[in-house]
Amino acid sequence: MGSMVRRIVLMALALAALLVGAAAPGTAVAPVAVIVEDTAGVLDQNTLVPAVERIQFYEPTRVAIFTYNGKAEDNLNEEVLKFARSRHPEWISPDGQKWADGLFIFALDPVGRHVGTYMGEDRKVSLEQRSDIQDASKELFRDAQWTDGTVAGIRRGAELINQPWYRSAAFLVTAWVTAGTAALGAAAWLIVRAVTRTGCRKQIERGDRSYSNVSMDLDVTELNAGTIPESSRYGSQVLEKHRTFLSRYATVTQLSNQVHALGRRALSSRKNLKLARQFADSAAELDALDDVIADSNAFLNRADTWPTAWDRQLAPFRKDLAGLEQLLAKRHGQGDSATAAALRSFRDESLREIERWTAELADRRISPEEALDLLYTARSRLSELLENHAETVIQGFARNDREARLMREQMETAHEGTDHRRQRTYEPSILGTVYPSYTFFSVATFNSGFNTGVSSVNSARGGGSTTGYGSSGGSFSGSGSSSGF
């Protein structure tokens, strides 16, 4: 097989080289003129003009740059055409229906958050390529880097306008796909099987570590469970989980036997990778549960090791408090808002409260159950404050009700841990065992929902190109479009 693949690849490479060699080399020319109409006042022309003048086009091209402070609901295409008709009629063809030949217009509305590209008929590109040019600038525009974003968009335009056929994506794909297909066709199945086999082994190793811990501690776990006070609200709930412990251990044992019976060839199967992952996940959750059983016994009975068990109950709350400042300091985090101030105040108060609870536990002024109640109340309060701040962040980032609704949905999905296809990681604590996983809104789930929400909104803003020129455009049909960022 290797010899055959090599022959096919060499033939494809020879064909590609022949095609490229037969094509005439493309010319590279600087813009014949650079016209800047920065009516929004956002561009550094001392940087912009030299940078654009250094960009190489395939054909002599006039570059016009227009900025305008509009609104989100404005049609940038229409505004560009209005401006051209009133101030630059030379940008329009003699019949008034198209953009002038040899012209490339790059337009920006930094307030309404739109970017547009317009070309003469001899410079026009497809709608997909116009979107490509606009997309090249959007990441910089989202960071308010107006000059750099404009240069990036014009540079991408120069790469696509009048692009020679042999430099087009379609040609490059066609030239190389034969070689790529041949090589991948021969190797892909080997790679997939090797990756799957490695994944299986890693999952089995992960499962073995957890299963070994559970097996070694099995007798101790049973002893711990036997002395957890059933009269305790928390203890009784942990014991409910324990009642299925041995049957779950038997299931994990069966899974362990199955995955260890797999040979090298079977380990390469996707079906068996799923089986190995099931073994690893089940063993890890059981390993966490036996730790919770041990902590419940030690803490609720005030055994000698109760301070260590108590520290483990505090760990998720402390982690959230420690992560608040990073959350508030991130871009779009609304760190100077009233809800941010409330979070900081709660953090400082909670750190003092943790010390007080621990001291009162040591002095027996509060019981272990009362301490867990206080911790539950504090984590619930933090969840409320994070929800309030989520709304502040959403209102600060979203431009309209649709974007706010999209961000809210992503926050709720992260909070609840449900698109009903993913299961949130089990929290190995007494509260994490007693209450559903979505009870507390953590800093980690806040960040996850926020990042996903921002990404979803940015993707929505970047889509939906507008090609029409509005009611004032009349019969004008020049090549051009705009999109949001």
Side-chain angles (χ1 to χ4, degrees):
M1 180 181 287
S3 176
M4 179 181 69
V5 169
R6 281 194 295 274
R7 285 199 298 272
I8 294 173
V9 171
L10 288 172
M11 290 172 61
L13 291 175
L15 174 61
L18 179 64
L19 290 171
V20 173
T27 58
V29 293
V32 296
V34 178
I35 307 101
V36 181
E37 292 287 358
D38 183 22
T39 68
V42 295
L43 300 177
D44 176 6
Q45 295 195 40
N46 291 329
T47 300
L48 174 69
V49 174
V52 175
E53 287 176 341
R54 288 193 294 270
I55 294 173
Q56 300 292 298
F57 285 77
Y58 293 113
E59 299 288 347
T61 302
R62 284 184 300 149
V63 178
I65 301 160
F66 169 63
T67 69
Y68 153 84
N69 283 327
K71 300 184 292 295
E73 60 269 23
D74 284 354
N75 181 342
L76 182 59
N77 307 340
E78 186 173 17
E79 298 303 327
V80 173
L81 181 57
K82 284 180 184 176
F83 182 81
R85 283 172 170 170
S86 64
R87 297 284 298 276
H88 284 281
E90 73 278 9
W91 290 0
I92 300 173
S93 63
D95 63 6
Q97 301 302 302
K98 307 283 186 181
W99 296 110
D101 283 347
L103 178 68
F104 170 39
I105 303 173
F106 188 89
L108 164 67
D109 174 0
V111 177
R113 315 283 287 187
H114 296 117
V115 56
T117 47
Y118 312 89
M119 297 98 171
E121 290 301 291
D122 61 343
R123 296 290 182 272
K124 71 179 181 180
V125 297
S126 67
L127 178 60
E128 181 181 1
Q129 289 174 315
R130 292 200 298 270
S131 296
D132 191 351
I133 296 168
Q134 294 159 22
D135 289 345
S137 66
K138 288 179 180 178
E139 199 64 38
L140 290 164
F141 284 165
R142 288 169 188 148
D143 286 334
Q145 298 184 50
W146 311 120
T147 300
D148 289 344
T150 299
V151 172
I154 294 171
R155 181 178 295 113
R156 184 56 178 153
E159 292 170 355
L160 295 177
I161 294 171
N162 297 120
Q163 185 183 67
W165 63 270
Y166 57 85
R167 291 193 178 180
S168 69
F171 169 75
L172 293 176
V173 169
T174 301
W176 292 99
V177 75
T178 302
T181 300
L184 290 176
W189 71 279
L190 292 173
I191 294 171
V192 169
R193 288 176 67 83
V195 169
T196 302
R197 188 164 56 248
T198 300
C200 268
R201 286 172 174 158
K202 286 182 178 178
Q203 294 297 331
I204 292 170
E205 288 170 6
R206 180 167 72 92
D208 283 346
R209 287 193 295 271
S210 297
Y211 182 69
S212 176
N213 291 338
V214 174
S215 298
M216 287 190 297
D217 295 340
L218 197 59
D219 291 340
V220 175
T221 299
E222 292 305 299
L223 288 172
N224 283 328
T227 51
I228 291 175
E230 289 193 53
S231 58
S232 163
R233 286 181 291 109
Y234 294 101
S236 62
Q237 291 292 321
V238 172
L239 285 172
E240 279 296 318
K241 301 288 186 181
H242 169 259
R243 287 188 177 95
T244 61
F245 189 89
L246 290 179
S247 63
R248 292 167 65 184
Y249 177 74
T251 300
V252 173
T253 300
Q254 184 177 13
L255 289 170
S256 176
N257 292 336
Q258 285 181 260
V259 297
H260 283 95
L262 298 174
R264 175 184 171 86
R265 184 172 182 178
L267 288 172
S268 304
S269 164
R270 299 290 296 178
K271 177 184 70 175
N272 289 326
L273 174 59
K274 184 178 179 180
L275 181 68
R277 189 176 290 117
Q278 181 186 356
F279 164 60
D281 291 344
S282 299
E285 188 165 332
L286 211 57
D287 190 18
L289 180 56
D290 73 2
D291 291 340
V292 172
I293 291 170
D295 285 344
S296 298
N297 178 46
F299 185 61
L300 295 174
N301 288 312
R302 291 181 177 273
D304 291 343
T305 56
W306 77 261
T308 302
W310 173 235
D311 280 342
R312 279 197 282 268
Q313 309 318 302
L314 291 170
F317 187 44
R318 281 179 166 148
K319 182 179 180 181
D320 278 340
L321 296 177
L324 279 176
E325 196 57 46
Q326 185 177 4
L327 180 153
L328 298 174
K330 68 192 301 182
R331 188 164 177 260
H332 304 303
Q334 299 294 321
D336 57 353
S337 64
T339 52
L343 280 167
R344 290 189 176 101
S345 176
F346 176 80
R347 175 197 60 199
D348 297 341
E349 178 188 358
S350 295
L351 291 173
R352 293 190 295 269
E353 287 294 283
I354 286 172
E355 297 303 317
R356 182 176 68 83
W357 302 337
T358 304
E360 290 180 350
L361 269 169
D363 294 342
R364 293 182 176 266
R365 282 178 285 165
I366 60 173
S367 68
E369 279 212 353
E370 289 171 328
L372 290 171
D373 287 341
L374 289 168
L375 180 57
Y376 171 81
T377 300
R379 292 185 67 183
S380 298
R381 177 57 180 158
L382 176 59
S383 297
E384 292 173 6
L385 293 173
L386 284 171
E387 287 171 357
N388 293 341
H389 189 62
E391 193 59 32
T392 299
V393 168
I394 290 168
Q395 293 301 324
F397 186 78
R399 297 181 197 156
N400 51 51
D401 290 343
R402 182 180 61 82
E403 291 185 355
R405 187 165 55 253
L406 181 59
M407 290 191 70
R408 227 171 260 119
E409 288 172 357
Q410 297 297 340
M411 284 286 192
E412 289 170 0
T413 297
H415 184 181
E416 296 171 3
T418 54
D419 56 343
H420 301 289
R421 290 169 300 194
R422 292 193 303 263
Q423 184 176 3
R424 185 183 290 180
T425 302
Y426 170 67
E427 180 187 295
S429 70
I430 296 173
L431 292 182
T433 301
V434 171
Y435 293 100
S437 61
Y438 53 79
T439 300
F440 305 117
F441 193 16
S442 69
V443 168
T445 53
F446 184 105
N447 279 323
S448 175
F450 174 65
N451 292 338
T452 306
V454 168
S455 177
S456 298
V457 169
N458 280 335
S459 295
R461 288 175 181 175
S465 293
T466 301
T467 56
Y469 288 90
S471 58
S472 67
S475 60
F476 188 83
S477 60
S479 175
S481 65
S482 60
S483 61
F485 60 85

